[in-house]
Amino acid sequence: MAAEGLRPATLAAQALGWVDEATRAIIPPLHPATTFLRDPDNQFRSGRIYGRDDSPAYDQAEALLAALEGGEGALVFASGNAAAAALFQALAPGDHVIAPAVMYWGLRAWLRDHAVRWGLEVSFLPEMTAAALSAVLRVGRTKLIWVETPANPTWAITDIAAVAALARAHGARVCVDNTAATPVLTRPLALGADYVMHSATKYLNGHSDVVAGALVTALRDAAWDKVRAVRRAGGAVLGPFEAWLLVRGMRTLYLRVSQACRSAERIAGHLAAHPRVAAVLYPGLPGHPGHAIAKAQMTGGFGGTLSIRVAGGEMAAVAVAARTTVFKRATSLGGVESLIEHRASIEGAGSSAPPDLLRLSVGIEDTEDLIADLDQALSDATGR
Ligand code: PLP
């Protein structure tokens, strides 16, 4: 399907250049069918039986994702958390997994509250360094290392190639949550990871109108068959319309991410010098602890998300979010519209987010409008 030698931005813009054979349409049809005709001799030569596993609505999204991430296969799911859960549920009770303490809080909570009831043993590490990993890795028992880079909401950076080399030496596999970086900025499989996971709800779809998830695998092997079986049996499948919208969103992925990165970098630099900002957490800033690794590992930018710690503490942070008008006060990230949120409020009790932290998802609006909005929101009553 994909023309050889074309660059990822071209593959995405044309969704692999796919043309509908029946109509010559250059946009895919929407297939809502949940069931498929059996041949008179009782076979299913179409290869499709039932919509929970075989929907043609997934074909293009999965092929495009596999191509962009450089994997042999991809599966779309009903949400990012459903995609991640399927990978963990394909493991066996008694297996040991390692995850970072700084990661998307909803998935961390699932690991803490549900994966352990499934019999998985989970070690959360404050830092995903070789030394910290070596201390908890158990040959024969550690089956999966979870990486999120840049990681929500401090945008901590993990060296994917270093973790992958260590995992391989110990017989474990690595999955990278590539939601924030996207394949535009980081291709984990090329760095040695075994799987990539996405909350496709974010940059891949990009328009805040689809909840979806995806897994991409380096190898189509027996372990991947188990993941597919978990999706089929568990049924956390994406609706056909959502899959169609996802392909439509991915066509502009490269443009959107590039613009978001450019603006985020400008905003980070601007706020780093702002008297009402105590700290800017953005891997593109030389002062960020992960800057050197991010510079080597990410190409084309450092991402469209950043966090700031507001001078004056929690109430000051909440007040700043209350004053933005271009940045909308809402959770999530990776959409065309810029969002701001007080992270500790959404994570609730047990949140590890500093109380003065605001998370910013930079959209594709004019950079100057975004900076002006933050400036007016940060200025206090005296107009400082
Ligand atoms: N991973 C990251 C980095 C996220 O930000 C999110 C959602 O916020 C998820 C995973 C979970 O994805 P979803 O909300 O699509 O289930």
Side-chain angles (χ1 to χ4, degrees):
M1 203 197 289
E4 290 299 320
L6 294 178
R7 290 172 175 77
T10 308
L11 298 180
Q14 301 196 352
L16 299 180
W18 186 90
V19 173
D20 179 43
E21 287 305 327
T23 62
R24 310 306 288 158
I26 61 167
I27 296 300
L30 180 55
H31 282 293
T34 56
T35 191
F36 304 88
L37 197 64
R38 191 186 275 271
D39 298 329
D41 61 358
N42 221 26
Q43 304 298 305
F44 277 106
R45 284 191 192 75
S46 69
R48 303 188 195 275
I49 300 175
Y50 185 57
R52 197 172 64 227
D53 194 41
D54 304 322
S55 175
Y58 307 154
D59 293 358
Q60 205 170 3
E62 291 177 349
L64 180 55
L65 264 167
L68 298 183
E69 291 286 6
E72 287 188 356
L75 289 170
V76 290
F77 289 83
S79 70
N81 262 21
L87 195 62
F88 287 107
Q89 286 174 335
L91 300 176
D95 286 345
H96 174 234
V97 301
I98 302 173
V102 178
M103 63 184 288
Y104 169 58
W105 74 283
L107 185 55
R108 189 182 60 211
W110 184 86
L111 284 169
R112 191 192 56 217
D113 300 339
H114 298 275
V116 292
R117 281 165 44 203
W118 164 255
L120 295 181
E121 192 189 336
V122 189
S123 299
F124 290 102
L125 294 188
E127 285 196 326
M128 298 294 277
T129 58
L133 285 163
S134 300
V136 294
L137 262 163
R138 285 174 233 157
V139 176
R141 276 206 61 212
T142 306
K143 295 291 164 54
L144 187 66
I145 301 177
W146 192 264
V147 169
E148 182 179 324
T149 182
N152 239 315
T154 62
W155 315 109
I157 298 291
T158 296
D159 184 338
I160 297 170
V163 173
L166 197 68
R168 204 169 310 117
H170 289 77
R173 292 193 169 194
V174 174
C175 180
V176 177
D177 182 338
N178 205 25
T179 299
T182 80
V184 181
L185 308 176
T186 307
R187 296 180 86 221
L189 303 185
L191 296 168
D194 301 280
Y195 307 106
V196 166
M197 173 262 170
H198 280 280
S199 168
T201 314
K202 310 298 189 307
Y203 288 101
L204 293 184
N205 177 62
H207 293 77
S208 307
D209 53 11
V210 168
V211 173
L215 288 173
V216 184
T217 185
L219 298 177
R220 272 181 193 266
D221 57 5
W224 184 245
D225 290 342
K226 279 191 196 159
V227 179
R228 187 173 190 122
V230 170
R231 186 182 72 168
R232 182 191 307 123
V237 291
L238 194 59
F241 184 48
E242 284 72 16
W244 189 92
L245 278 174
L246 177 56
V247 173
R248 180 165 117 157
M250 283 195 286
R251 286 172 178 259
T252 55
L253 177 69
Y254 286 73
L255 272 180
R256 288 185 284 102
V257 170
S258 300
Q259 173 62 19
C261 283
R262 270 196 300 276
S263 286
E265 211 162 330
R266 279 269 322 278
I267 291 168
H270 178 77
L271 295 182
H274 200 288
R276 300 206 65 200
V277 175
V280 178
L281 311 180
Y282 185 63
L285 292 177
H288 188 279
H291 179 66
I293 297 168
K295 208 169 163 186
Q297 181 167 277
M298 303 177 80
T299 49
F302 296 92
T305 42
L306 65 146
S307 297
I308 60 173
R309 297 187 65 175
V310 178
E314 178 167 10
M315 293 324 293
V318 171
V320 169
R323 284 198 288 261
T324 60
T325 58
V326 182
F327 276 84
K328 303 293 182 247
R329 272 178 313 284
T331 194
S332 201
L333 56 94
V336 290
E337 61 288 298
S338 293
L339 303 179
I340 188 165
E341 74 167 340
H342 181 243
R343 198 62 202 156
S345 298
I346 191 91
E347 294 188 9
S351 167
S352 59
D356 56 3
L357 183 143
L358 295 177
R359 188 179 80 179
L360 275 55
S361 171
V362 177
I364 63 167
E365 304 93 336
D366 189 292
T367 315
E368 302 309 323
D369 286 340
L370 296 174
I371 290 178
D373 189 41
L374 291 169
D375 276 348
Q376 65 78 23
L378 282 160
S379 67
D380 62 14
T382 58
R384 257 194 306 146

